[in-house]
Amino acid sequence: MLDHLNPADPGFARDPYPYYARLRAQGPAARVPLTNGTHAWLVTGYDQARAVLSDPRFSNVPPQGAGRPGPDSPARRARGCLARHMLNSDAPDHPRLRRLTTATFTPRRVDALRPRIEHLADGLVTELAGELDRHGTVDLVDAFAFPLPVLVIGEVLGVPEADRADLREWTYRVGSPADALEPGAVDEAWTRLHAYFTHLIGHKRESPGDDLFSTLVHDASEGGLDDGELLAMAFLLLFAGYETTMNLLASATLMLLTHEEELDAARRGGPGRWAAVVEETLRHGSPLEGTTWRRTTERVDLGGGAVIPAEDSVLVVLAAANRDPGHFPAPDDFRPARYLPEGRRAAPHLAFGHGPHFCLGSRLGRLEAAVALPRLFDALPGLALAADPAELPYRPGLLVRGPRRVPVRRR
Ligand code: HEM
């Protein structure tokens, strides 16, 4: 009999891996009872995760009426806008929406962001150094891992410098657990973000800049996108990009601060070794713990005894697939050397997903980490963890994965 899955349990949030290993031992996908009385299929095997993510019988469109019911309000309407994005759609809408962005997110255009990312990372490191001098201990998530991706998305969307502090604040509020803030603060942030992006689209249309979003707004009219879809796209870029990259940076710094030999090796090894640290953190830390929910459009036999009926909810657990011992020897160990170009390289991890919804921002996420990590550790060579790593709280839920706080001090 399987235990109930309670993603809100702090112990599970910190270390869900023994549970996932038990599930995997029973088969590549298992029907799991949830604490709210329903059930879902969790896919934990690497091969089956890839199979599900590239199989059109698993739909991304949320069922009608999904989400929490509630009275109509500007905040609710603002949230509703998010629903019309590409990650919530299947063919033919999905390729129509995605095509437009692949023309914008070309490797050349993403790589051209490097000097700006370097500049933003340096600014944050300088602020962080000041904070360390003033307070002794500083939370790396708050001071570095969170603001950097938000500032970078600000670049992508072409948000004027003067508005970035607002963007950072609103994003922080909508991403925080609701009980951490005063009532109304989250709703207000949603409403403001909605109004801001509506205004931004109008502004980019009238006076386009050289940012990626201006190109998208321009191409959207020719590609047949309406303003609602563009708005949803802006929201998606913001949310798909910041929490994931934040967790990548938070987990990577935590791993390096607790594996000193790996930090030394990265410092000595240069860009190739840093890239391996990033890949191994993506595998080991899986910043997106599970993909978005899928739904079977018909009965699917996944093999290994897993037969999923039509209209059932399915979650591909990337964190579990990325630690499948059939593909990654000693899967719970943090070993960047698996991803060094010399020697036998490990299987590709699934941290960016697979198939038609494969992450659009993978190159950007990797670039941010490759720029930020060496700059942080070079500028602050004596950085040390200021807490017991076993006690650090993790983000609850099945979607994102990473430590909520990484307190640091100078040695
Ligand atoms: C380390 C950072 C990141 C990780 C681990 C990550 C992970 C993922 C994963 C696993 C998916 C697939 C979800 C699914 O199939 O349900 C995805 C999709 C997506 N990601 Fe990322 N992501 C990261 C950074 C970014 C960034 C920086 C951006 C934006 C610039 C971005 C934009 C997107 C978009 C737009 C999609 C939807 C693609 C589609 O539906 O076709 N991501 N991401």
Side-chain angles (χ1 to χ4, degrees), residues 68 73-79 82 166-167 169-195 235 239 242:
R68 269 177 285 168
S73 69
R76 214 180 136 69
R77 281 199 294 280
R79 279 181 196 213
L82 236 185
D166 283 340
L167 184 71
E169 173 62 24
W170 299 328
T171 310
Y172 177 77
R173 288 201 204 167
V174 299
S176 296
D179 57 359
L181 296 162
E182 294 162 30
V186 179
D187 279 359
E188 191 208 332
W190 273 111
T191 316
R192 292 218 180 198
L193 270 171
H194 184 273
F235 269 118
F239 288 112
Y242 102 83

Side-chain angles (χ1 to χ4, degrees), residues 318-377:
L318 300 173
N322 279 339
R323 295 208 189 180
D324 185 334
H327 288 272
F328 305 101
D332 296 329
D333 292 358
F334 178 72
R335 286 189 193 165
R338 298 177 206 269
Y339 286 108
L340 286 175
E342 60 269 18
R344 266 190 69 224
R345 255 172 96 94
H349 59 69
L350 297 182
F352 290 119
H354 181 69
H357 292 277
F358 181 81
C359 178
L360 182 77
S362 59
R363 194 171 182 103
L364 181 57
R366 282 182 167 123
L367 176 64
E368 286 182 53
V371 166
L373 294 172
R375 293 181 112 73
L376 172 73
F377 286 103

Side-chain angles (χ1 to χ4, degrees), residues 11-33:
F12 176 81
R14 191 177 303 118
D15 186 14
Y17 295 106
Y19 179 85
Y20 293 144
R22 280 205 304 283
L23 279 192
R24 203 188 304 102
Q26 299 179 16
R31 187 173 184 273
V32 174

Side-chain angles (χ1 to χ4, degrees), residues 108-131:
R108 193 178 54 82
R109 293 207 65 182
V110 171
D111 293 349
L113 288 168
R114 179 182 271 273
R116 289 296 302 157
I117 300 174
E118 289 172 350
H119 175 73
L120 294 169
D122 287 344
L124 290 173
V125 170
T126 306
E127 277 177 39
L128 176 63
E131 294 280 299

Side-chain angles (χ1 to χ4, degrees), residues 53 60 86-88 94 98 105 153 156 236-237 240-242 244-245 248 282 286-288 290-294 318 350-354 356-362 364-366 368:
L53 293 176
N60 277 53
M86 70 178 101
L87 196 44
N88 271 350
H94 177 255
R98 175 142 179 152
F105 278 81
I153 277 299
V156 170
L236 177 65
L237 292 177
Y242 102 83
T244 44
T245 312
L248 169 60
L282 284 161
S286 295
L288 215 58
T291 59
T292 49
W293 288 91
R294 305 296 202 260
L318 300 173
L350 297 182
F352 290 119
H354 181 69
H357 292 277
F358 181 81
C359 178
L360 182 77
S362 59
L364 181 57
R366 282 182 167 123
E368 286 182 53

